[in-house]
């Protein structure tokens, strides 16, 4: 009797969960999802969890298709030669194929004095929960500083300011560097309406328990400092002897197959196809998860997997609960000078957040149903994705 093919997915985020569901298109595949938490984390809602304006977790029981085994544990090491995972608990998992979807997390730099001790992250569930509790202990009038003028920083600053908190947003470069001039104007106008003070082209050089020192010499009072400037990926691939890019993403070919081992396929933020990673985002993670599953299924069937084919449409940013900016983009993810802002955009963003989980649940109910926009051109050179490794 032919044994089933064992496929293990490391990481239960947007990419990993969708990939696990999509693998169910083929019978005779045993699917295991390894994740360090027993719940799915909606990273695109973590700023809402911090501000107590929404939840940011979902039950895997509502997201995973029948027959997928969930193992709540972390992976300590990948033994590619033996096709085996060593888990933090000491258990081991054997696999025939592996999908590497470990995602990314926030990066608080050790090079900035006081940042590790006094700054709060927001890009993982535990950090967001700690920040939520810290803010709950502060009076509403206590000053808050958000470091990082990217999309996460904008959403966090606006969510807190809409509650009536005094917030300063510190941007190392221009506000919303990935936006067009029109998109930036939309965001700036809405932040101003909520009382957010935007400090552009300055960096935080020191974080203290009650203040932040800026590169221009200014000292900002800050009873809570939130660090959103940059992302990092787990070092599992490098720790396991697999080749990565400078940021630690697993190097793959255009089919998302690891260049060191064709039994390992990568998806999501931790994948670097041909050394040219896509923007770290939920918008990229879902399609990458689907394509990673397609690659594994093709290899099981003895077929040549298809190369990566993915396009972008833009970026949708929430500005509190009542506003937002929709930045339209070329299919290669470069911004068009076209943006929509205001209450209508807030409703669009909420539909996107809900639709993301709806798509994962639909894939669980009907494997192979997930679709994405194709035909995008990828940059010729490795792009700067604002990744910081502490």
């Amino acid at each position: 009797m032919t044994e089933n093919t064992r496929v293990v997915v490391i990481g239960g985020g947007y990419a990993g969960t969708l990939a696990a569901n999509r693998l169910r298109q083929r019978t005779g595949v045993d699917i295991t999802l390894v994740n360090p938490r027993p719940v799915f984390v909606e990273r695109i809602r973590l700023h809402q969890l911090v501000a107590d304006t929404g939840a940011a977790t979902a039950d895997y029981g509502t997201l995973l298709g029948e027959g997928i085994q969930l193992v709540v544990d972390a992976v300590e090491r990948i033994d590619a030669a033996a096709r085996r995972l060593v888990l933090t608990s000491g258990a081991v998992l054997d696999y025939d194929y592996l999908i590497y979807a470990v995602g990314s997390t926030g990066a608080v730099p050790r090079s900035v004095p006081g940042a590790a001790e006094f700054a709060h992250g927001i890009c993982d569930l535990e950090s967001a929960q700690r920040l939520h509790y810290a803010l709950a202990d502060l009076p509403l009038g206590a000053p808050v500083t958000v470091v990082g003028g990217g999309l996460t920083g904008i959403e966090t600053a606006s969510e807190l300011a809409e509650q009536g908190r005094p917030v300063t947003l510190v941007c190392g470069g221009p506000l919303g560097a990935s936006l067009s001039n029109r998109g930036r104007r939309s965001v700036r106008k809405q932040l101003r309406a909520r009382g957010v003070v935007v400090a552009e082209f300055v960096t935080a050089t020191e974080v203290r328990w009650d203040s932040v020192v800026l590169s221009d010499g200014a000292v900002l009072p800050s009873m809570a400092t939130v660090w959103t400037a940059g992302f990092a990926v787990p070092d599992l691939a490098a720790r396991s002897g697999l080749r990565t890019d400078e940021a630690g993403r697993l190097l793959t070919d255009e089919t998302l197959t690891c260049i060191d081992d064709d039994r390992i396929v990568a998806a999501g933020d931790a994948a670097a196809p041909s050394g040219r990673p896509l923007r770290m985002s939920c918008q990229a993670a879902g399609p990458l998860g689907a394509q990673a599953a397609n690659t594994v299924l093709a290899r099981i069937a003895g077929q040549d997997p298809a190369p990566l084919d993915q396009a972008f449409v833009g970026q949708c940013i929430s500005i509190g609960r009542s506003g937002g900016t929709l930045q339209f983009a070329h299919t290669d993810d470069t911004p068009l000078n076209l943006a929509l802002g205001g209450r209508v955009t807030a409703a669009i963003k909420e539909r996107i957040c809900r639709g993301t989980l709806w798509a994962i649940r639909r894939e669980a109910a009907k494997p192979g149903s997930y679709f994405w926009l194709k035909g995008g051109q990828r940059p010729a050179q490795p792009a700067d994705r604002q990744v910081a490794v502490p």
Side-chain angles (χ1 to χ4, degrees):
M1 185 174 67
T2 303
E3 292 185 359
N4 287 354
T5 302
R6 300 163 299 180
V7 182
V8 177
V9 181
I10 307 176
Y14 297 104
T17 306
L18 200 142
N21 283 336
R22 196 171 186 86
L23 289 168
R24 294 176 62 246
Q25 291 178 87
R26 183 182 178 90
T27 60
V29 178
D30 291 335
I31 307 162
T32 301
L33 178 67
V34 182
N35 193 66
R37 303 178 187 88
V39 294
F40 179 91
V41 178
E42 290 188 81
R43 282 188 60 177
I44 54 178
R45 290 194 188 274
L46 285 176
H47 60 287
Q48 290 184 249
L49 184 152
V50 166
D52 205 20
T53 58
T57 60
D59 185 351
Y60 276 117
T62 70
L63 295 174
L64 293 176
E66 184 179 351
I68 297 175
Q69 180 185 7
L70 174 65
V71 174
V72 180
D73 208 334
V75 178
E76 187 66 26
R77 182 170 56 88
I78 302 168
D79 185 346
R83 296 181 193 161
R84 176 172 296 174
L85 303 179
V86 179
L87 306 184
T88 302
S89 64
V92 296
L93 274 178
D94 294 323
Y95 65 85
D96 296 305
Y97 289 93
L98 178 68
I99 294 182
Y100 185 85
V102 296
S104 63
T105 187
V108 178
R110 297 186 182 94
S111 58
V112 177
E117 292 84 0
F118 302 118
H120 294 271
I122 193 177
C123 293
D124 61 75
L125 178 62
E126 292 75 20
S127 296
Q129 288 173 331
R130 286 193 292 269
L131 176 57
H132 169 76
Y133 295 136
L135 289 170
D137 290 337
L138 292 177
L140 196 60
V144 176
T145 300
V146 178
V147 179
L151 306 193
T152 303
I154 292 168
E155 292 191 329
T156 303
S158 60
E159 201 79 25
L160 296 176
E162 201 168 71
Q163 294 183 317
R165 293 187 180 277
V167 180
T168 300
L169 179 61
V170 177
C171 312
L175 173 70
S178 63
L179 305 177
S180 66
N181 290 333
R182 186 166 295 180
R184 199 170 293 118
R185 285 197 299 271
S186 171
V187 169
R188 184 178 284 111
K189 178 181 178 180
Q190 294 178 79
L191 289 176
R192 188 184 304 119
R194 287 161 177 76
V196 177
V197 176
V198 178
E200 296 181 87
F201 302 102
V202 291
T203 60
T205 58
E206 182 182 357
V207 179
R208 301 170 181 169
W209 73 272
D210 62 349
S211 60
V212 177
V213 182
L214 303 183
S215 55
D216 63 1
V219 179
L220 299 177
S222 182
M223 297 308 296
T225 299
V226 189
W227 199 281
T228 71
F231 295 91
V233 299
D235 64 350
L236 174 60
R239 202 166 65 234
S240 301
L242 301 172
R243 281 180 287 180
T244 67
D245 67 4
E246 291 183 358
R249 304 180 187 92
L250 183 66
L251 288 174
T252 76
D253 64 14
E254 285 297 294
T255 70
L256 299 174
T257 302
C258 172
I259 62 173
D260 294 316
D261 190 326
D262 63 8
R263 295 292 182 127
I264 300 176
V265 179
D269 291 351
S274 302
R276 299 177 294 162
L278 280 69
R279 173 168 54 89
M280 290 181 172
S281 64
C282 174
Q283 186 178 171
L288 284 170
Q291 292 175 93
N294 287 351
T295 291
V296 170
L297 292 173
R299 293 196 184 281
I300 293 173
Q303 302 169 351
D304 292 331
L308 176 65
D309 187 0
Q310 186 166 337
F312 287 83
V313 295
Q315 303 172 60
C316 197
I317 313 159
S318 66
I319 310 293
R321 293 298 88 209
S322 59
T325 292
L326 175 56
Q327 169 67 65
F328 295 95
H330 297 283
T331 56
D332 68 353
D333 203 27
T334 56
L336 291 162
N337 196 28
L338 178 63
L340 175 69
R343 289 186 176 274
V344 172
T345 311
I348 293 172
K349 178 59 183 284
E350 179 59 26
R351 287 180 67 89
I352 290 172
C353 292
R354 292 183 182 181
T356 300
L357 288 192
W358 176 87
I360 294 175
R361 291 187 175 110
R362 178 171 170 77
E363 188 70 15
K366 188 178 179 181
S369 62
Y370 181 81
F371 66 93
W372 64 95
L373 185 63
K374 300 179 182 179
Q377 299 296 314
R378 302 222 289 127
Q381 299 294 329
D384 178 7
R385 299 298 177 189
Q386 198 184 7
V387 176
V389 179

